Amino acid sequence: MSAVKLVIFDWDGTVMDSVGRIVSSMRAAAALTALEVPSHDAVKQIIGLSLDPAFDQLFPTADKAQRQQIFEHYRDQYVLHDTTPTPLFAGAEATLKQLAEQNILLAVATGKARKGLDRMFAETGLAPYFATSRCADEAQSKPHPDMLQQIITELGVNAEQAIMVGDTSHDLKMAQAINMPRVGVSHGAHPVSVLAQYQPLAIIDHLPELTSLVVQ
């Protein structure tokens, strides 16, 4: 592997422990729209996707008006009503700081919309660590590698000089598509058995483990 110049992080389930709120907000949105409520596991499977392909999987019979209702209810639940905590994972900021101190570029590739990621940046204060970011409304949905291609083009880094870090098959599959090295995290939405299918360099249980993998 080439010397690492860039580490790209997924957000939900990777940097922030937000899977629980995503699941409960989506299930509440379905109930409020009078649609069949998807299972906890079904919602976990779509975390990381943009909302349109996520809705295709969760609500295949929903019409355009219902999809708009689900979106509005989900947004309101997640932002205003759901009180499920969404802390950063232990060691997240320390890991970003350590990597930045080694002059490694950092970026985010997320299924959140830009408004949502900017809100998280404001709440956590982490924005200064990241050289750039790409969101669901700025690129094709994961697992298409469009987000990663945009990021490495902007930053002038080759795919083999970067590492994608994520908790879902969608994250690892998009990196695999462009031969970008990848690391899975076990504390998010998808199980280790699924992540292992995408030949990651490693699957880590805690974000601080990343530093020793990245820093030569």
Side-chain angles (χ1 to χ4, degrees), residues 21-163:
R21 185 182 289 189
I22 292 171
V23 170
S24 55
S25 295
M26 188 65 75
R27 297 183 80 230
L32 289 165
T33 313
L35 291 171
E36 182 176 351
V37 177
S39 69
H40 185 279
D41 187 63
V43 181
K44 286 179 70 174
Q45 297 312 305
I46 60 83
I47 291 174
L49 298 177
S50 302
L51 282 178
D52 276 339
F55 288 170
D56 288 343
Q57 289 192 35
L58 294 177
F59 312 109
T61 62
D63 61 26
K64 184 176 180 179
Q66 288 172 316
R67 288 167 75 106
Q68 182 62 30
Q69 283 184 300
I70 299 165
F71 166 73
E72 292 172 359
H73 286 313
Y74 172 73
R75 178 194 59 204
D76 290 347
Q77 288 295 312
Y78 191 93
V79 176
L80 301 174
H81 304 305
D82 196 306
T83 58
T84 307
T86 57
L88 296 175
F89 282 107
E93 184 165 8
T95 300
L96 298 177
K97 185 174 187 291
Q98 289 168 352
L99 295 174
E101 287 173 347
Q102 298 295 319
N103 296 315
I104 293 170
L105 294 168
L106 306 177
V108 172
T110 178
K112 285 188 175 300
R114 170 55 59 187
K115 184 180 292 186
L117 182 62
D118 285 349
R119 188 171 61 250
M120 294 302 99
F121 278 167
E123 288 183 10
T124 63
L126 296 184
Y129 289 107
F130 297 108
T132 193
S133 55
R134 285 298 184 280
C135 297
D137 47 354
E138 299 166 340
Q140 294 191 58
S141 176
K142 301 175 185 181
H144 192 285
D146 185 30
M147 288 185 190
L148 300 184
Q149 291 169 320
Q150 287 190 36
I151 288 170
I152 61 176
T153 298
E154 177 182 342
L155 298 180
V157 176
N158 295 326
E160 62 269 18
Q161 297 171 317
I163 289 179

